[in-house]
Amino acid sequence: MSRPYQPSLLRLLHGITVLLVPLAWLTGLVVYSNNDGRFGRLPFRLAGDWIDLHGTVGVLLWPIALLFGLYALTAGRARLRQPANATTLLALALAVGSGKFMQEDWLRDGQVHHLAYSLHLGAWLLIAAVVLWHLATVLRRGGISLAASMLQLKVRSNDTPLQWPAQLIRGFRRYV
Ligand code: HEM
Protein backbone atom coordinates (compact mmCIF):
# COMPACT_ATOMS: atom_id res chain seq x y z
CA MET A 1 0.00 0.00 0.00
CA SER A 2 1.42 3.44 -0.88
CA ARG A 3 2.10 5.77 2.01
CA PRO A 4 -0.51 8.54 2.41
CA TYR A 5 0.66 12.12 1.89
CA GLN A 6 0.22 14.64 4.71
CA PRO A 7 0.21 18.37 3.90
CA SER A 8 3.54 20.03 4.77
CA LEU A 9 2.00 22.68 7.06
CA LEU A 10 0.21 19.95 9.02
CA ARG A 11 3.46 17.99 9.35
CA LEU A 12 5.35 21.07 10.54
CA LEU A 13 2.81 22.15 13.18
CA HIS A 14 1.97 18.58 14.23
CA GLY A 15 5.71 17.73 14.45
CA ILE A 16 6.56 20.66 16.75
CA THR A 17 3.48 19.83 18.86
CA VAL A 18 4.55 16.18 19.14
CA LEU A 19 7.98 17.31 20.39
CA LEU A 20 6.67 19.88 22.87
CA VAL A 21 3.66 18.02 24.35
CA PRO A 22 5.73 15.18 25.89
CA LEU A 23 8.24 17.75 27.21
CA ALA A 24 5.42 19.74 28.81
CA TRP A 25 3.88 16.54 30.17
CA LEU A 26 7.12 15.25 31.71
CA THR A 27 8.23 18.57 33.21
CA GLY A 28 4.66 18.94 34.54
CA LEU A 29 4.95 15.52 36.18
CA VAL A 30 8.11 16.62 38.01
CA VAL A 31 6.48 19.91 39.08
CA TYR A 32 3.46 18.00 40.40
CA SER A 33 5.70 15.54 42.26
CA ASN A 34 7.97 18.22 43.76
CA ASN A 35 5.35 20.84 44.62
CA ASP A 36 2.02 19.05 45.08
CA GLY A 37 2.13 15.26 45.45
CA ARG A 38 -1.37 14.93 47.02
CA PHE A 39 -2.06 11.76 45.01
CA GLY A 40 1.45 10.34 45.17
CA ARG A 41 4.96 11.38 44.23
CA LEU A 42 7.80 10.10 42.08
CA PRO A 43 10.08 7.83 44.14
CA PHE A 44 12.95 10.35 43.68
CA ARG A 45 13.25 14.12 43.85
CA LEU A 46 14.78 15.96 40.90
CA ALA A 47 16.55 19.18 41.86
CA GLY A 48 16.21 22.32 39.73
CA ASP A 49 13.69 25.00 38.87
CA TRP A 50 11.17 22.73 37.17
CA ILE A 51 8.37 25.28 37.45
CA ASP A 52 10.44 27.68 35.36
CA LEU A 53 11.35 24.94 32.88
CA HIS A 54 7.73 23.79 32.55
CA GLY A 55 6.63 27.41 32.09
CA THR A 56 9.19 27.87 29.31
CA VAL A 57 7.92 24.79 27.45
CA GLY A 58 4.39 26.15 27.91
CA VAL A 59 5.40 29.55 26.47
CA LEU A 60 6.80 27.78 23.40
CA LEU A 61 3.81 25.45 23.09
CA TRP A 62 0.93 27.89 23.22
CA PRO A 63 1.56 29.84 19.98
CA ILE A 64 2.21 26.54 18.17
CA ALA A 65 -1.00 25.07 19.60
CA LEU A 66 -2.86 28.20 18.48
CA LEU A 67 -1.50 27.90 14.91
CA PHE A 68 -2.16 24.16 14.89
CA GLY A 69 -5.73 24.78 16.08
CA LEU A 70 -6.22 27.36 13.31
CA TYR A 71 -4.87 24.90 10.76
CA ALA A 72 -7.00 22.02 12.07
CA LEU A 73 -10.19 24.11 12.06
CA THR A 74 -9.64 25.36 8.49
CA ALA A 75 -7.45 23.37 6.09
CA GLY A 76 -7.49 20.25 8.33
CA ARG A 77 -11.21 20.30 9.12
CA ALA A 78 -12.06 17.04 7.36
CA ARG A 79 -9.67 15.16 9.66
CA LEU A 80 -11.45 16.48 12.74
CA ARG A 81 -14.38 14.21 11.82
CA GLN A 82 -12.26 11.51 13.40
CA PRO A 83 -13.36 11.68 17.08
CA ALA A 84 -9.83 10.86 18.33
CA ASN A 85 -8.32 13.75 16.32
CA ALA A 86 -10.93 16.23 17.53
CA THR A 87 -10.64 15.09 21.17
CA THR A 88 -6.84 15.34 21.04
CA LEU A 89 -7.13 18.92 19.79
CA LEU A 90 -9.65 19.74 22.56
CA ALA A 91 -7.38 18.24 25.24
CA LEU A 92 -4.48 20.29 23.89
CA ALA A 93 -6.62 23.43 23.99
CA LEU A 94 -7.68 22.68 27.59
CA ALA A 95 -4.08 22.03 28.68
CA VAL A 96 -2.71 25.17 27.05
CA GLY A 97 -5.73 27.34 27.94
CA SER A 98 -5.79 26.39 31.64
CA GLY A 99 -1.99 26.82 31.74
CA LYS A 100 -2.41 30.43 30.60
CA PHE A 101 -4.47 31.10 33.73
CA MET A 102 -1.88 29.58 36.10
CA GLN A 103 0.49 31.73 38.12
CA GLU A 104 4.06 30.57 38.73
CA ASP A 105 3.98 31.38 42.43
CA TRP A 106 0.91 29.29 43.29
CA LEU A 107 2.77 26.00 43.53
CA ARG A 108 5.88 27.60 45.03
CA ASP A 109 3.58 28.88 47.83
CA GLY A 110 1.77 25.54 48.19
CA GLN A 111 -1.50 26.95 46.79
CA VAL A 112 -3.08 23.87 45.17
CA HIS A 113 -6.75 24.88 45.51
CA HIS A 114 -7.10 27.17 42.45
CA LEU A 115 -9.65 26.19 39.78
CA ALA A 116 -7.17 26.85 36.93
CA TYR A 117 -4.71 24.46 38.58
CA SER A 118 -7.35 21.72 38.98
CA LEU A 119 -8.30 22.13 35.31
CA HIS A 120 -4.63 22.07 34.33
CA LEU A 121 -4.03 18.86 36.31
CA GLY A 122 -7.13 17.30 34.73
CA ALA A 123 -5.94 18.33 31.26
CA TRP A 124 -2.55 16.78 31.99
CA LEU A 125 -4.22 13.43 32.74
CA LEU A 126 -6.61 13.78 29.79
CA ILE A 127 -3.92 14.55 27.25
CA ALA A 128 -1.97 11.39 28.15
CA ALA A 129 -5.11 9.30 27.64
CA VAL A 130 -6.27 10.93 24.40
CA VAL A 131 -2.83 10.95 22.77
CA LEU A 132 -2.67 7.18 23.37
CA TRP A 133 -6.18 6.85 21.90
CA HIS A 134 -5.20 9.08 18.94
CA LEU A 135 -2.10 6.97 18.29
CA ALA A 136 -4.02 3.69 18.61
CA THR A 137 -6.70 5.00 16.20
CA VAL A 138 -4.07 6.11 13.66
CA LEU A 139 -2.42 2.67 13.84
CA ARG A 140 -5.77 0.83 13.62
CA ARG A 141 -6.93 2.91 10.62
CA GLY A 142 -3.75 3.03 8.59
CA GLY A 143 -1.06 1.04 10.38
CA ILE A 144 2.57 2.10 10.50
CA SER A 145 2.34 3.62 7.02
CA LEU A 146 -0.27 6.22 8.17
CA ALA A 147 1.72 6.98 11.36
CA ALA A 148 4.96 7.27 9.37
CA SER A 149 3.31 9.57 6.80
CA MET A 150 3.25 12.24 9.53
CA LEU A 151 7.04 11.96 9.93
CA GLN A 152 8.13 11.91 6.29
CA LEU A 153 10.01 14.93 4.93
CA LYS A 154 9.07 14.87 1.23
CA VAL A 155 7.18 17.97 0.04
CA ARG A 156 5.20 18.01 -3.22
CA SER A 157 5.76 20.92 -5.57
CA ASN A 158 2.12 22.05 -5.10
CA ASP A 159 2.43 22.01 -1.28
CA THR A 160 5.34 24.36 -0.51
CA PRO A 161 5.14 27.15 2.12
CA LEU A 162 4.06 29.50 -0.69
CA GLN A 163 0.81 27.55 -0.93
CA TRP A 164 0.07 27.60 2.82
CA PRO A 165 -1.93 30.88 2.88
CA ALA A 166 -4.13 29.67 0.00
CA GLN A 167 -4.70 26.32 1.78
CA LEU A 168 -5.80 28.12 4.96
CA ILE A 169 -8.04 30.54 3.07
CA ARG A 170 -9.67 27.66 1.15
CA GLY A 171 -10.30 25.87 4.45
CA PHE A 172 -11.75 29.04 5.97
CA ARG A 173 -14.02 29.65 2.94
CA ARG A 174 -15.72 26.29 3.55
CA TYR A 175 -17.31 27.92 6.62
CA VAL A 176 -18.81 30.90 4.77
C1 HEM B 1 1.66 14.61 21.01
C2 HEM B 1 0.46 14.84 20.83
C3 HEM B 1 -0.34 14.83 19.57
C4 HEM B 1 -1.29 15.74 19.28
C5 HEM B 1 -1.72 16.92 20.17
C6 HEM B 1 -1.86 15.39 18.00
C7 HEM B 1 -2.90 16.06 17.40
C8 HEM B 1 -3.43 15.77 16.16
C9 HEM B 1 -4.55 16.46 15.55
C10 HEM B 1 -5.33 17.60 16.18
C11 HEM B 1 -4.75 15.92 14.32
C12 HEM B 1 -5.78 16.38 13.27
C13 HEM B 1 -5.11 17.43 12.39
C14 HEM B 1 -6.02 18.03 11.35
O1 HEM B 1 -7.16 18.37 11.63
O2 HEM B 1 -5.55 18.22 10.20
C15 HEM B 1 -3.78 14.86 14.14
C16 HEM B 1 -3.66 14.05 13.02
C17 HEM B 1 -2.76 13.02 12.89
N1 HEM B 1 -1.82 12.62 13.82
FE1 HEM B 1 -1.52 13.42 15.64
N2 HEM B 1 -1.22 14.28 17.49
C18 HEM B 1 -0.28 13.88 18.42
C19 HEM B 1 0.58 12.80 18.33
C20 HEM B 1 0.70 11.99 17.20
C21 HEM B 1 1.68 10.94 17.05
C22 HEM B 1 2.75 10.54 18.10
C23 HEM B 1 1.48 10.39 15.81
C24 HEM B 1 2.26 9.26 15.17
C25 HEM B 1 3.20 9.48 14.32
C26 HEM B 1 0.39 11.09 15.18
C27 HEM B 1 -0.08 10.87 13.91
C28 HEM B 1 -1.11 11.56 13.29
C29 HEM B 1 -1.63 11.26 11.95
C30 HEM B 1 -1.13 10.17 11.02
C31 HEM B 1 -2.66 12.17 11.71
C32 HEM B 1 -3.55 12.28 10.46
C33 HEM B 1 -4.68 11.34 10.78
C34 HEM B 1 -5.82 11.41 9.80
O3 HEM B 1 -5.59 11.51 8.61
O4 HEM B 1 -6.93 11.37 10.33
N3 HEM B 1 -0.06 12.06 16.05
N4 HEM B 1 -2.98 14.79 15.28
Side-chain angles (χ1 to χ4, degrees):
M1 191 177 70
S2 71
R3 183 179 286 177
Y5 180 82
Q6 302 297 345
S8 55
L9 182 53
L10 171 61
R11 275 180 284 153
L12 179 70
L13 295 171
H14 188 274
I16 303 175
T17 306
V18 168
L19 289 176
L20 291 177
V21 165
L23 273 182
W25 198 91
L26 287 171
T27 53
L29 174 67
V30 178
V31 170
Y32 161 79
S33 175
N34 284 356
N35 297 81
D36 182 346
R38 276 171 297 169
F39 312 104
R41 288 181 195 274
L42 293 171
F44 45 84
R45 193 181 168 85
L46 290 169
D49 194 343
W50 289 88
I51 294 183
D52 202 38
L53 196 62
H54 180 71
T56 304
V57 179
V59 165
L60 295 173
L61 180 57
W62 88 256
I64 295 296
L66 187 67
L67 291 174
F68 188 21
L70 278 177
Y71 174 90
L73 291 168
T74 55
R77 211 168 92 178
R79 287 185 176 80
L80 290 184
R81 280 190 216 115
Q82 289 291 332
N85 287 356
T87 315
T88 309
L89 190 65
L90 276 176
L92 180 66
L94 184 64
V96 172
S98 56
K100 290 292 283 173
F101 286 98
M102 290 277 302
Q103 284 173 25
E104 280 210 7
D105 289 338
W106 286 349
L107 292 184
R108 289 201 177 97
D109 298 343
Q111 297 179 37
V112 292
H113 57 275
H114 293 279
L115 176 64
Y117 177 55
S118 302
L119 284 175
H120 201 52
L121 263 189
W124 174 80
L125 279 176
L126 187 68
I127 203 143
V130 298
V131 166
L132 289 177
W133 179 36
H134 171 59
L135 202 54
T137 310
V138 165
L139 289 172
R140 183 178 47 76
R141 283 173 42 225
I144 294 287
S145 95
L146 179 58
S149 69
M150 206 42 121
L151 308 173
Q152 79 171 11
L153 297 174
K154 208 177 101 206
V155 174
R156 289 181 181 161
S157 58
N158 64 353
D159 182 32
T160 65
L162 288 178
Q163 274 93 28
W164 292 350
Q167 292 172 2
L168 293 175
I169 291 168
R170 250 198 322 273
F172 180 71
R173 285 225 177 100
R174 281 187 212 119
Y175 282 102
V176 291

